[in-house]
Structure formats: structure tokens, C-alpha cells
Amino acid sequence: MAELITVEDPDDPRLRDYTGLTDVELRRRREPAEGLFIAEGEKVIRRARDAGYAMRSMLLSAKWVDVMRDVIDELPAPVYTVTPELAEQVTGYHVHRGALASMQRKPLPTAAGLLGPARRVVVMESVNDHTNIGAIFRSAAALGMDAVLLSPDCADPLYRRSVKVSMGAVFSVPYARLDTWPRGLDALHEAGFTLLALTPDERAVSLDEAAPHRMDRVALMLGAEGDGLSARALAAADARVRIPMAHGVDSLNVGAAAAVAFYAVATGRPTA
């Protein structure tokens, strides 16, 4: 059973994992380097635990102790109880969900290791908005995508905002980071994947015409909000595909576009 420890000093070094959570640059450097990430809210904490991530500690306001009692009873890690005011001092924002956990990261698999059993893969290039990362992972999990590959400069899926927006779906879809770009895409070609680059370009083939759900192994490539896929990424694709638009709308937010495209890729997919 975890030890319940009441903390009253915001500078207590035992709370270091939770300091400055709103400082994006600081957390982007610290968390991967120290092998941790932050899960926020009861559901996300439970999903991280159920996905096999080890817990370093929890930070709870008093009213959340009973809610999280079953988790606490299983933990070897310390649980720090604080007032809402102290939690805000430590983290830099009002922790309205009242529950945070510092989780230990796992080593990332290799791209080659993920591709073996996969048939429907998401490839992201330079998607560095954490909200978009979280939304894409949530759609990928809900719509049956098998794996996600990230270009070297994509945002961290385990950053707090990404995890929160995905509602823990980042724990459900395995992902890997490609070492080189776009050369890393060669692994997909070698594994027999057809690479489809999603673009609003009217010269691209519509998803209906491309019929990705009929392809044996398909990888859908997504670019950053605004810029889209780079010329190098487009050149590496086997085909360019688009979502048909109406009423003069030229494009969708990348998170919304991803959900539509994932449905088109997964619909009618073979079950064998």
C-alpha cells in the first residue's frame, strides 16, 4: 500500500516531478530526459496504469483520496496529498481534476518492430501541436489504426496536454519515432505498405476513388496544421489523396481530417 504523505511546502523537493507544468519548453526538455510523464485525471491515470506504465508518485487533493483508494492500495509509490491552492502553486495552474500522477516512460519500440503485425499505420510529419497530437491518437485508437510513426520533429505524445486531449488513447496505440526523415519511410515500402499522403490539393485523388480500405497494407501520412506535408514527404508517397470539400471550404483541422481519413482507411478492412 502506498504511503499517504501530506505536503504543505510548495518547494518540497519530493514534488519536483510536478513543478512548472505550464512551462512547455521546460517540460519538453525535462520529461523525456528524466523518463517521466504526467497523467491528469482519474480516467487517464487508470488507463496509464492499465497500459503497464509504472507510477512514480501521485499528487492528490484530499477529496480524491477516496476516489483513488483502489489505486493507492496497489501502489508501492508515495501519494502526496495537498490543498488545491498548494497544487496550483506547484504546477502553475488550477488542477481542477484534483489528481495527477507521475508515470515512468517505457522504451519506445522500433518502427520495424511495429510494422510487422500492422496493416493500418498513421505517419505524422512535423505535427508539433500537442492538442492535435492527442486528437489524432484518440481517433487512431477509436477507428482501428494499428500503429503511429512520428517524424523526428513531432511533438511528444506523452506530454500532459496530448495525453489529456487523447483521454489516454496514447496508451492504446503503439508508436515509434523515425530516426531519419524522409528516409525512414523506406521501412514502410520495404514492409509492403502503400503510402498515401493526405493533402487538400484538388489534383489529388479523392479518398473514395483511392479506396484505401481495399488495400492490404496502407500508411496514411499527415502533415502539420497549416503547412501540411513537406515536398519531400509528398515525393516519398505512392499517391496523394484528399477529402472532398463542400461550400468553398478548402481544408479541415488536421485532427478532424485525420478522423475522416482513418474511417475511410479502416472501413471494410479485412478481419483476418
Side-chain angles (χ1 to χ4, degrees):
M1 181 185 298
E3 180 184 4
L4 288 174
I5 303 167
T6 299
V7 178
E8 298 178 346
D9 180 2
D11 296 320
D12 191 312
R14 293 173 295 183
L15 303 185
R16 184 176 183 276
D17 282 2
Y18 305 96
T19 56
L21 294 186
T22 58
D23 188 333
V24 178
E25 288 307 313
L26 170 66
R27 300 303 301 197
R28 285 172 67 177
R29 292 193 304 272
R30 267 194 61 196
E31 291 184 9
E34 297 178 20
L36 67 93
F37 69 92
I38 300 298
E40 179 179 1
E42 178 194 359
K43 288 183 179 179
V44 172
I45 291 172
R46 291 182 184 277
R47 287 171 182 169
R49 178 201 61 177
D50 293 345
Y53 289 93
M55 195 175 294
R56 294 160 60 109
S57 66
M58 272 201 294
L59 183 71
L60 303 176
S61 58
K63 71 176 184 178
W64 283 92
V65 171
D66 287 341
V67 176
M68 302 298 293
R69 174 58 64 182
D70 61 312
V71 177
I72 293 170
D73 288 346
E74 296 175 358
L75 277 182
V79 177
Y80 303 115
T81 61
V82 297
T83 64
E85 293 76 20
L86 189 138
E88 185 169 352
Q89 285 180 273
V90 172
T91 64
Y93 73 104
H94 177 61
V95 187
H96 68 280
R97 298 192 182 197
L100 296 169
S102 174
M103 313 295 295
Q104 190 70 42
R105 290 176 183 248
K106 300 177 187 179
L108 284 182
T110 63
L114 288 188
L115 293 178
R119 298 177 72 176
R120 300 290 184 262
V121 173
V122 185
V123 180
M124 291 191 236
E125 180 192 30
S126 304
V127 179
N128 47 37
D129 180 276
H130 294 104
T131 297
N132 285 335
I133 287 277
I136 291 168
F137 265 88
R138 188 171 185 179
S139 293
L143 296 167
M145 303 301 284
D146 298 320
V148 175
L149 297 180
L150 306 170
S151 70
D153 55 349
C154 274
D156 179 12
L158 293 183
Y159 181 72
R160 179 177 61 89
R161 180 66 180 165
S162 302
V163 173
K164 182 178 178 181
V165 170
S166 80
M167 287 301 294
V170 293
F171 311 135
S172 303
V173 185
Y175 71 93
R177 199 174 285 275
L178 296 170
D179 294 329
T180 58
W181 187 266
R183 193 186 314 157
L185 295 173
D186 291 346
L188 288 149
H189 284 126
E190 292 166 4
F193 281 85
T194 300
L195 271 64
L196 302 181
L198 191 64
T199 171
D201 190 332
E202 291 186 357
R203 295 169 296 180
V205 177
S206 75
L207 277 167
D208 286 342
E209 292 179 71
H213 62 284
R214 299 184 186 280
M215 297 175 181
D216 182 47
R217 306 188 97 184
V218 59
L220 185 69
M221 300 168 61
L222 304 169
E225 187 77 24
D227 294 336
L229 290 165
S230 67
R232 293 191 304 162
L234 290 169
D238 296 301
R240 302 181 187 189
V241 296
R242 62 181 175 84
I243 300 168
M245 301 285 169
H247 301 293
V249 177
D250 60 356
S251 64
L252 295 173
N253 166 276
V254 67
V260 173
F262 295 165
Y263 182 77
V265 166
T267 300
R269 60 181 294 186
T271 56

